[in-house]
Amino acid sequence: MFVYADNAATTSVSKTALDAMLPYLTEYYGNPSSLYAFAQKVAEDVAKARQTVADCLGAKSPREIYFTSGGSEADNQALISAATAGARKGKKHLISTKFEHHAMLHTLKKLEKQGFEVTLLDVHSDGVVRLEDLEAAIREDTCLVSVMFANNEIGTVQPIKEIGALSRSKGIPFHCDAVQAVGHMPINVEEMNIDMLSLSGHKFHSPKGVGALYVRRNIPLFNLIEGGSQERGKRGGTENVAGIIGMAAALKESCDNMEANSAKICAMRDKLFAELGKIPHSKINGSLEHHVPGTVNMCFEGIEGESLLLMLDANGICASSGSACTSGSLDPSHVLLSLGLPHEVAHGSLRLSIGEYNTMEEIDHIIEVVPRVVAYLRNMSPVWDELEKGQRKHLI
Ligand SMILES: *Cc1c(COP(=O)(O)O)cnc(C)c1O
């Protein structure tokens, strides 16, 4: 059996998205910036896609949506733009969290080298940011608060509306990396007090290489990419037309079916938690109370996450030990360390992220394979041997 359980890394393109985009790769290949009718039809369809994305986010106007090459670009532009705007007013302090995606953390590092100051909030052992911590971190010269909607490794959801309200009450723009939440959870940028929001198509069944940045009308936006007048001059470069059309179709489909998908995914996820949670010396990471539907993250003591992944692969299961970007390196995930997990425990992590295309039969296959593989690896593990003999203390 083949089971794709890595939907937080990427998803397949839905039939709806594929059907919507195909004509723009063949028939309607005009450049939206050209003046003749053949190309203007394309420009109009891109405008409709922009309206669809705005509607799905509860944005007031399609003029608040800027198409990008994906989540990373949107995160980079949001941060650098807010920092540039802040610096012009002498404000050079940014607040974010310890468990953001690397597109955020590495951009913040770059800004630090350029003379900005960054405070990264703790996420506590449940993977949730505390408002008190944010309030205490805010300074006179804070120019941006940026907190992710849902974490990509452990799936915990942050108190976004409250964070937005607090930031607004202090006159500080609030950016949210919502890549893991868009299409999976209800989002309304007006109700949730969000000033900037990043999203990426390939996390909700659109093609890869397309995303968007929402920017509230009164928030200044500076270019990351210079070029033509596309995206109202804020992001040069001929539009990824087919990608944009496909993304809008996939987003509408995800939002229209959100309740049904969510119920289906949660049932599968809860079974995984219940059954895999029975494995001795295992631990579920992140609060289950504040959680996206599809992400399951656990640690198993005495084994290496990498070995577990290889064995799962041999059994037809695609999973991850952390984010796709960090797997391949032997450092434990910065997300799991930010929860305060010891290195030894964080090393033995497994992320299963399921979607609406998974089936209960596939979940049953995972439930059959994972305990067997964990037991097999523990049998071979010198660390587990020491734990069993009492030469080492169990940490979980
Ligand atoms: C996937 C992801 C990104 C990056 O998006 P890309 O489109 O792959 O560049 C950023 N943030 C989070 C939380 C993600 O899960």
Side-chain angles (χ1 to χ4, degrees):
M1 189 183 247
F2 173 77
V3 183
Y4 184 76
D6 205 14
N7 285 276
T10 196
T11 59
S12 62
V13 175
S14 78
K15 179 155 187 339
T16 307
L18 183 66
D19 287 347
M21 68 190 286
L22 274 180
Y24 297 87
L25 296 169
T26 52
E27 251 176 283
Y28 307 130
Y29 53 81
N31 186 326
S33 300
S34 302
L35 289 179
Y36 34 79
F38 174 65
Q40 279 309 296
K41 176 204 161 27
V42 180
E44 280 163 24
D45 292 347
V46 168
K48 281 185 204 150
R50 200 183 302 280
Q51 181 71 56
T52 302
V53 173
D55 291 345
C56 290
L57 297 177
K60 277 259 162 72
S61 158
R63 292 163 66 88
E64 297 172 315
I65 306 296
Y66 299 86
F67 291 120
T68 67
S69 66
S72 299
E73 185 188 320
D75 282 345
N76 272 257
Q77 186 168 13
L79 279 186
I80 292 171
S81 179
T84 307
R88 289 190 178 182
K89 295 185 196 155
K91 297 185 172 188
K92 298 189 79 174
H93 176 238
L94 301 98
I95 301 174
S96 190
T97 77
K98 287 187 179 159
F99 76 163
E100 297 294 314
H101 190 272
H102 281 135
M104 294 288 304
L105 292 178
H106 290 172
T107 307
L108 288 167
K109 268 261 158 337
K110 181 159 105 178
L111 288 169
E112 260 179 338
K113 285 196 189 122
Q114 293 170 1
F116 288 86
E117 272 185 77
V118 176
T119 302
L120 295 180
L121 302 174
D122 260 331
V123 291
H124 298 256
S125 57
D126 59 358
V128 181
V129 167
R130 300 292 187 273
L131 285 176
E132 308 86 83
D133 293 353
L134 172 59
E135 185 143 31
I138 290 174
R139 312 192 320 207
E140 273 306 303
D141 62 343
T142 305
C143 63
L144 183 74
V145 169
S146 178
V147 177
M148 71 197 317
F149 204 111
N151 182 269
N152 45 304
E153 288 187 37
I154 57 173
T156 50
V157 172
Q158 308 305 312
I160 293 302
K161 184 176 176 179
E162 292 76 12
I163 292 170
L166 177 56
S167 306
R168 187 157 303 165
S169 74
K170 308 276 182 183
I172 305 165
F174 170 46
H175 167 257
C176 178
D177 174 344
V179 173
Q180 288 290 330
V182 171
H184 304 285
M185 302 188 76
I187 294 182
N188 185 304
V189 289
E190 290 295 330
E191 282 169 16
M192 293 179 161
N193 309 305
I194 297 169
D195 295 314
M196 291 195 266
L197 176 143
S198 305
L199 65 90
S200 174
H202 73 103
K203 307 285 173 81
F204 53 81
H205 303 290
S206 108
K208 297 169 188 41
V210 60
L213 178 63
Y214 159 83
V215 184
R216 185 176 292 279
R217 47 221 168 270
N218 57 344
I219 300 288
L221 184 65
F222 294 91
N223 299 17
L224 190 65
I225 296 176
E226 302 297 337
S229 60
Q230 294 92 353
E231 303 306 308
R232 302 178 48 235
K234 301 300 182 191
R235 201 277 184 185
T238 302
E239 296 86 342
N240 174 4
V241 173
I244 288 168
I245 303 279
M247 177 168 77
L251 182 56
K252 179 156 191 335
E253 186 182 29
S254 297
C255 292
D256 287 349
N257 299 305
M258 193 178 286
E259 247 177 77
N261 287 344
S262 182
K264 183 184 173 197
I265 296 168
C266 286
M268 293 190 278
R269 174 201 71 189
D270 290 344
K271 190 164 183 191
L272 279 177
F273 275 137
E275 294 302 318
L276 300 185
K278 291 180 187 161
I279 296 175
H281 301 288
S282 67
K283 181 182 185 314
I284 292 170
N285 296 316
S287 155
L288 293 185
E289 206 178 317
H290 310 280
H291 218 91
V292 282
T295 304
V296 171
N297 192 306
M298 297 185 66
C299 285
F300 304 104
E301 201 173 16
I303 63 170
E304 288 288 332
E306 306 290 315
S307 322
L308 179 57
L309 290 187
L310 290 176
M311 299 274 307
L312 292 185
D313 188 19
N315 283 278
I317 300 169
C318 306
S320 154
S321 61
S323 71
C325 328
T326 45
S327 36
S329 78
L330 281 175
D331 293 337
S333 135
H334 71 283
V335 172
L336 297 180
L337 295 180
S338 76
L339 302 181
L341 287 182
H343 275 243
E344 303 93 291
V345 174
H347 266 299
S349 65
L350 171 67
R351 179 186 73 181
L352 298 161
S353 44
I354 51 178
E356 65 269 34
Y357 298 158
N358 287 115
T359 62
M360 263 309 175
E361 289 71 44
E362 293 175 351
I363 300 304
D364 289 340
H365 181 63
I366 297 174
I367 289 168
E368 189 269 313
V369 171
V370 173
R372 180 157 56 77
V373 169
V374 168
Y376 175 83
L377 290 172
R378 280 178 172 170
N379 231 352
M380 302 196 313
S381 152
V383 173
W384 185 252
D385 198 41
E386 288 172 27
L387 286 163
E388 286 294 276
K389 288 188 181 136
Q391 293 160 349
R392 210 188 245 262
K393 263 179 105 160
H394 279 291
L395 296 171
I396 54 175

